[in-house]
Amino acid sequence: MPQSLAVTFAGTPAFAVPALDAIAASHHRLVAVCCQPDRPAGRGRRVAAGPVKERAQSLGLPVLQPKTLRDPAAVAALAAHPADVMVVVAYGLLLPPAVLALPRLGCLNIHASLLPRWRGAAPVQHAILAGDPTTGVCIMRMEEGLDTGPVMLREEVAIRTDETAGELQARLATTGATLIARALDELATGRARFEPQDPALATHAGKLSKAMATIDWREPAERIARQVRALNPWPVAETRLDGRQLRVWEAGVAAGDGRPGQVLGAGDDGLVVATGAGALAIRRLQLPGGKPVPAADFARSRELAGLVLG
């Protein structure tokens, strides 16, 4: 059996929990968990712990929540839990040189893309937006640059044609958990090999914003359908109906032509809306103050044919 490594873990959202569990279930030793500070969440905007913090506490692990890792006090707090390696998964803060230098074997990052494609904060969403047929997970040794470090392990994953970002993230989280357990074993035995990235092939996956949610009905239906999938569960694609927000949770390409944004039909299949090329079938939607509902149910509540969205 490989040597047992002392591991510091840095992560915040649900995507990181499977990796935390995989390390906890291995023969390696978690010595501390670093998360971002608690923040308001939900409709009540109450301050709540993130998924990783909750899981770490249930495992009885020390939890650190510095506002920034550039504070010498935060670096000292991490150093007080000596580790052979730090594993970073969707932590949300850049690691400065002082933190990168703490573990004797460096810092490993679980990144949800096939680097160097889609470096940055939202690789899953950008892969769907771009229409990539595949994505994957990489285990990378961290450097000061954004996702520029050499890759130790990678696994390709096909993107399903009807898959949302949330669904794809869940699958990639499981893949990442499997890979990190293998990576720690290889690191412990000295068998780890790292392959430099080709910067000429790099693409950037910038942060998501609510501004990205607005549907431009002049775009082709295929592009809008990818937008809907990529922005589910956040920030959720949206348009306007009679001046009110209409959030689109599920949609697919349909047959039809007309003025972009025009509702061509409304029935059991939901709302069929003309786009710049083809039509979009909205299957699940949400009005302000309401819950997501099947578009077919909404279509039966009022006359929609001929209206123009946007």
Side-chain angles (χ1 to χ4, degrees):
M1 181 177 289
Q3 170 194 357
S4 176
L5 298 178
V7 182
T8 302
F9 188 90
T12 301
F15 179 80
V17 172
L20 179 63
D21 285 341
I23 300 170
S26 74
H27 68 284
H28 301 290
R29 297 175 294 110
L30 284 160
V31 296
V33 173
C34 193
C35 309
Q36 287 202 45
D38 298 348
R39 288 189 168 86
R43 287 192 174 184
R45 305 305 292 165
R46 293 183 179 178
V47 175
V52 167
K53 179 182 177 180
E54 289 185 345
R55 184 61 180 143
Q57 289 177 326
S58 74
L59 293 169
L61 296 168
V63 176
L64 309 177
Q65 294 183 275
K67 292 183 179 179
T68 173
L69 290 175
R70 299 192 180 278
D71 183 350
V75 178
L78 275 172
H81 301 276
D84 297 306
V85 61
M86 175 182 275
V87 173
V88 182
V89 194
Y91 175 46
L93 294 176
L94 290 176
L95 272 57
V99 173
L100 292 172
L102 285 177
R104 68 179 184 88
L105 296 176
C107 301
L108 297 181
N109 177 239
I110 302 177
H111 187 77
S113 82
L114 296 176
L115 293 167
R117 185 160 180 80
W118 302 127
R119 296 174 177 174
V124 173
Q125 292 85 351
H126 281 274
I128 294 175
L129 280 170
D132 291 357
T134 62
T135 185
V137 174
C138 285
I139 306 297
M140 170 195 68
R141 185 167 62 200
M142 299 181 72
E143 301 177 337
E144 287 188 56
L146 180 62
D147 300 329
T148 59
V151 174
M152 178 182 175
L153 298 173
R154 66 174 67 227
E155 184 168 328
E156 186 172 299
V157 173
I159 300 176
R160 298 167 184 160
T161 56
D162 60 348
E163 196 164 30
T164 67
E167 292 165 343
L168 180 55
Q169 280 181 321
R171 289 205 295 133
L172 294 176
T174 301
T175 301
T178 301
L179 285 183
I180 196 59
R182 177 181 156 196
L184 291 175
D185 286 348
E186 292 191 7
L187 201 64
T189 58
R191 293 184 288 112
R193 297 292 180 267
F194 293 88
E195 178 185 351
Q197 297 184 41
D198 182 351
L201 301 177
T203 56
H204 181 62
K207 289 183 178 181
L208 299 181
S209 68
K210 291 187 177 181
M212 297 173 65
T214 302
I215 294 173
D216 182 349
W217 293 105
R218 296 169 297 182
E219 295 278 354
E222 288 188 4
R223 169 65 176 78
I224 299 173
R226 293 199 303 268
Q227 178 186 11
V228 171
R229 290 166 45 220
L231 302 186
N232 180 346
W234 192 89
V236 185
E238 66 175 62
T239 186
R240 311 294 291 184
L241 173 62
D242 295 335
R244 302 175 69 199
Q245 179 193 55
L246 184 73
R247 304 179 88 191
V248 180
W249 285 87
E250 295 178 23
V253 177
D257 291 295
R259 173 185 172 188
Q262 181 182 12
V263 178
L264 302 177
D268 292 341
D269 294 331
L271 305 184
V272 178
V273 184
T275 73
L280 188 81
I282 299 177
R283 301 188 180 112
R284 194 167 187 82
L285 52 77
Q286 180 182 14
L287 288 173
K291 297 180 179 179
V293 297
D297 292 349
F298 178 70
R300 284 189 281 269
S301 68
R302 59 173 294 180
E303 180 61 39
L304 295 169
L307 294 179
V308 177
L309 304 182

